Amino acid sequence: MKNESGFTPAGELVLILPPVVEEKTKGGILLSEETRRKESEATQVGWIVDAGVEAWEHPRMRGLEVGSKVLFSRYQQNTLPVNGIRYFIIRADSILG
């Protein structure tokens, strides 16, 4: 997984790519942009895109690498939108597994 965001995390920060929130429900109901944004922000999983040097040394990052799927604390992320793709920036100590 390549970091195409143009953002390089510093220190204990980790750049996460969350899953894409679908535009429709399984029943075919269209979700509003606001609903999709809220669902995306409430997401607690994603894939590691990049991390700062100190983040890789954090005990919770042991055994993880770029592309690893992780679970992190809810509402601990900052959002970074780049070219229509939403990334999350979290602290390494927010990773739960």
Side-chain angles (χ1 to χ4, degrees):
M1 180 173 291
K2 186 178 177 188
N3 182 357
E4 297 177 0
S5 70
F7 176 80
T8 302
E12 287 190 1
L13 298 180
V14 181
L15 185 64
I16 301 287
L17 179 62
V20 175
V21 176
E22 298 297 327
E23 293 184 14
K24 291 183 185 179
T25 66
K26 290 181 182 179
I29 298 172
L30 288 173
L31 299 172
S32 70
E33 179 64 32
E34 179 70 11
T35 301
R36 288 187 308 213
R37 184 186 64 76
K38 286 180 180 179
E39 283 187 30
S40 177
E41 288 177 0
T43 299
Q44 292 178 269
V45 296
W47 293 269
I48 296 175
V49 176
D50 200 358
V53 175
E54 292 174 27
W56 290 118
E57 296 170 358
H58 195 281
R60 292 192 180 184
M61 294 283 287
R62 287 192 187 131
L64 299 177
E65 57 188 30
V66 170
S68 293
K69 188 173 184 179
V70 294
L71 174 70
F72 51 90
S73 301
R74 183 173 276 199
Y75 302 115
Q76 296 298 310
Q77 70 272 15
N78 290 309
T79 304
L80 175 69
V82 178
N83 298 325
I85 299 172
R86 188 177 301 245
Y87 294 90
F88 291 153
I89 303 166
I90 64 170
R91 295 179 55 88
D93 61 1
S94 294
I95 293 179
L96 304 174

